[in-house]
Amino acid sequence: MALSHLIRTQYPGDTLNLVLFHDSAEEVPLGELARVQVGPYYTNTREGLRMASASCFARKKTCAKS
């Protein structure tokens, strides 16, 4: 949450996206970070990296259009 505050206040043009790795992967809004439950302990790294890559690619396309 401190990193989110730093980015919002010191780097307002940047964003912070959170991808939660577990049996699958999902993007989690920063406002829900405190409510995220830990476990099971299996980490689907492949799916998490795919989702993070797609999120970054989508952000680049949005920024390029601005």
Side-chain angles (χ1 to χ4, degrees), residues 2 6 9 13 18 20 23-24 29-31 34-35 37 54 57 60 63:
L6 175 71
T9 58
L18 176 65
L20 180 64
D23 287 340
S24 62
L30 292 173
R35 292 185 286 275
Q37 297 292 318
F57 181 73
K60 285 181 182 179
C63 290

Side-chain angles (χ1 to χ4, degrees), residues 1-63:
M1 290 190 265
L3 179 59
S4 175
H5 176 74
L6 175 71
I7 289 174
R8 280 194 323 265
T9 58
Q10 300 297 315
Y11 306 97
D14 291 347
T15 61
L16 179 64
N17 296 6
L18 176 65
V19 175
L20 180 64
F21 292 47
H22 51 94
D23 287 340
S24 62
E26 61 184 292
E27 193 163 354
V28 177
L30 292 173
E32 294 182 20
L33 179 58
R35 292 185 286 275
V36 171
Q37 297 292 318
V38 177
Y41 297 104
Y42 173 74
T43 302
N44 190 338
T45 305
R46 183 177 183 188
E47 179 67 14
L49 292 174
R50 186 201 62 76
M51 180 168 279
S53 177
S55 179
C56 288
F57 181 73
R59 178 74 179 140
K60 285 181 182 179
K61 287 178 75 174
T62 302
C63 290

